[in-house]
Amino acid sequence: MRSMLLAGAALAAAAPACAQDIKPLVEARARYEHVEQDGFAEDAEALTLRVRAGVQASTGPWTALVEAQGTMAVVDDFYDGLHGSATRPLVADPENVALYRAQLQYKTKAFAATAGRQRIALEDERFVGNGPFRQNAQTFDAVRVELTPIKGLKADVSYAWSVRTIWGVEGTGARQPAIRGDNIFANLSYATPVGTLTGFAYLIDQDEAAVQGYRLSSQSYGVRLAGVQKLSAVAKLSYQASYATQSEYGRNPNDYRADYYLLDAGLEVSGFKLGAGYEVLGADEGVALTSFQFPLGTNFKFQGWADKLLTTPPDGVRDLYGSLGYGWKAAGPFKGVTLQAAYHRFESDRLVRHYGDELNLLASGKLGKTTLSVRYADYHADLFATDTRRLWLQLDWAL
């Protein structure tokens, strides 16, 4: 049945003879990444290009699409996680040519069903996301159903039998091209006057022994509140709070329980943005992979951009952070210009040891159909990992 769903979605997308609306899908990205990391004699230099192209066809409530992607390295003085020896820092963008999406969707005002290879990004993508920052983003072979029976109430349930990873078609070992399994993502949300309240359950059951010996299989249950309140004509307050508990699931040989907490608030006044938050990824007994994990989340968005905490350490993480930014609707020829700075202080949850601190900087703006961005991360290690500095220069273009 899984193969039939994928094949049906691909055929429907590739043969839109009766479609009323046909739309080409084209986007490209060029990114330069430089990494200096203690412990390596040489820095990493990566210039990678990614192109995605496809077609979307629609008729009435039906939409089908197929999209391929290709990634190549113009400058490859880096370790891509798959090829060669790790004599330079890791830049997780291996060369790749693959089917990115192939899906068929039926959608009305109150109901939507999507089958095939697709992007799934739930809530803030902490638990389930697309990982869009990496050149080979994460997609899911899945069936997803979204139901809105009454205004403000929404049920969102997905069954995914394969996760197509960022490692591409040549992935191997613990970095597989795809991770098979039986994964269920379920959200039930309701829009209240103070924000959207969501109850969630994420059941991750991985079938690849090479990927940490099934130790990333887990069940997470929790609740999240996220909202925005307008304070005046030029000011608004955003906030979110979340709690979850996680334990082993499926064939995971570990026996553990860990908790997750998040408190976050942001104030925007006349273009200025000020934010602060506290996120805790709890630990059990200090054994590897018994702390709170996010194997399917968009982890680059959280806990700094230097990629030091993509896998939660055995003793968990406490992340106290603050941010300051400013945005212009237009600045010269650029639209949507943003400047942002964020600072993180990392500690372990168990035994409360100082891991290190990180500074993140971002500048971005849009010129026509092209978005330009400069990003920088500087991690100063204390008792975890090593000093690391990363610089990105990036161009994104979309039709």
Side-chain angles (χ1 to χ4, degrees):
M1 181 178 180
R2 299 172 182 177
S3 299
M4 290 174 64
L5 284 169
L6 275 177
L11 288 172
C18 62
Q20 296 175 349
D21 181 41
I22 299 177
K23 175 184 176 182
L25 304 172
V26 184
E27 62 177 85
R29 173 190 286 171
R31 180 163 66 216
Y32 169 76
E33 183 169 347
H34 175 83
V35 188
E36 301 175 11
Q37 183 172 333
D38 284 7
F40 291 91
E42 297 180 291
D43 297 343
E45 304 279 352
L47 176 58
T48 55
L49 305 177
R50 187 198 70 203
V51 176
R52 291 183 183 145
V55 63
Q56 175 178 294
S58 302
T59 179
W62 293 94
T63 301
L65 69 82
V66 63
E67 186 177 23
Q69 71 174 4
T71 300
M72 66 176 295
V74 179
V75 177
D76 60 357
D77 295 329
F78 65 98
Y79 177 53
D80 67 5
L82 302 176
H83 306 100
S85 59
T87 58
R88 296 177 186 263
L90 173 68
V91 176
D93 292 320
E95 292 188 315
N96 179 50
V97 176
L99 178 67
Y100 179 58
R101 288 189 293 167
Q103 68 181 59
L104 178 64
Q105 183 181 74
Y106 178 85
K107 185 175 182 179
T108 65
K109 185 176 181 180
F111 175 81
T114 308
R117 185 163 300 171
Q118 57 189 283
R119 289 191 291 241
I120 300 179
L122 301 178
E123 301 296 324
D124 59 354
E125 301 187 56
R126 193 57 172 117
F127 287 83
V128 179
N130 178 227
F133 183 77
R134 297 266 58 102
Q135 298 286 45
N136 306 314
Q138 178 171 272
T139 55
F140 300 83
D141 294 344
V143 175
R144 181 181 184 184
V145 175
E146 300 167 80
L147 180 64
T148 309
I150 60 174
K151 184 178 180 181
L153 179 65
K154 181 179 179 181
D156 189 335
V157 180
S158 301
Y159 167 67
W161 59 87
S162 181
V163 181
R164 311 299 300 191
T165 74
I166 66 170
W167 302 110
V169 295
E170 295 186 5
T172 185
R175 293 165 173 163
Q176 291 285 308
I179 303 174
R180 297 171 299 168
D182 297 295
N183 307 290
I184 298 175
F185 317 135
N187 282 0
L188 182 63
S189 61
Y190 184 70
T192 75
V194 296
T196 299
L197 182 64
T198 303
F200 56 83
Y202 301 120
L203 311 181
I204 300 172
D205 186 10
Q206 299 188 347
D207 290 342
E208 302 290 344
V211 182
Q212 303 293 349
Y214 312 116
R215 288 175 173 82
L216 292 178
S217 294
S218 64
Q219 51 186 329
S220 302
Y221 305 93
V223 63
R224 180 174 185 266
L225 176 68
V228 177
Q229 296 293 328
K230 189 174 182 179
L231 304 179
S232 70
V234 296
K236 63 181 179 180
L237 176 69
S238 60
Y239 45 85
Q240 55 180 323
S242 185
Y243 167 78
T245 183
Q246 184 180 93
S247 59
E248 76 284 352
Y249 188 65
R251 286 185 280 181
N252 190 334
N254 288 330
D255 181 7
Y256 77 100
R257 182 180 180 277
D259 294 325
Y260 169 80
Y261 307 88
L262 171 69
L263 292 173
D264 180 278
L267 179 64
E268 184 175 346
V269 181
S270 299
F272 285 97
K273 297 180 181 180
L274 179 67
Y278 186 56
E279 187 179 41
V280 178
L281 284 59
D284 189 46
E285 298 295 331
V287 176
L289 301 179
T290 63
S291 50
F292 207 105
Q293 303 292 329
F294 300 95
L296 302 183
T298 298
N299 295 341
F300 180 82
K301 288 178 60 177
F302 305 89
Q303 298 183 334
W305 300 331
D307 286 353
K308 312 311 292 185
L309 296 162
L310 294 179
T311 298
T312 308
D315 289 329
V317 178
R318 295 180 182 180
D319 178 13
L320 179 64
Y321 58 89
S323 63
L324 177 64
Y326 188 79
W328 297 263
K329 291 183 178 179
F334 292 93
K335 307 295 183 183
V337 177
T338 298
L339 299 177
Q340 178 183 318
Y343 189 80
H344 297 260
R345 177 179 173 83
F346 301 116
E347 294 179 334
S348 66
D349 181 52
R350 182 176 175 270
L351 305 178
V352 194
R353 292 172 290 112
H354 182 226
Y355 284 155
D357 303 285
E358 182 169 331
L359 173 67
N360 295 153
L361 303 173
L362 172 66
S364 67
K366 191 170 184 179
L367 185 63
K369 295 182 178 181
T370 302
T371 300
L372 300 87
S373 62
V374 181
R375 190 185 300 257
Y376 177 72
D378 189 353
Y379 177 80
H380 287 270
D382 186 0
L383 297 176
F384 181 80
T386 56
D387 289 357
T388 301
R389 292 155 295 283
R390 291 180 179 264
L391 172 69
W392 298 268
L393 306 175
Q394 183 168 311
L395 300 176
D396 286 280
W397 178 90
L399 183 65

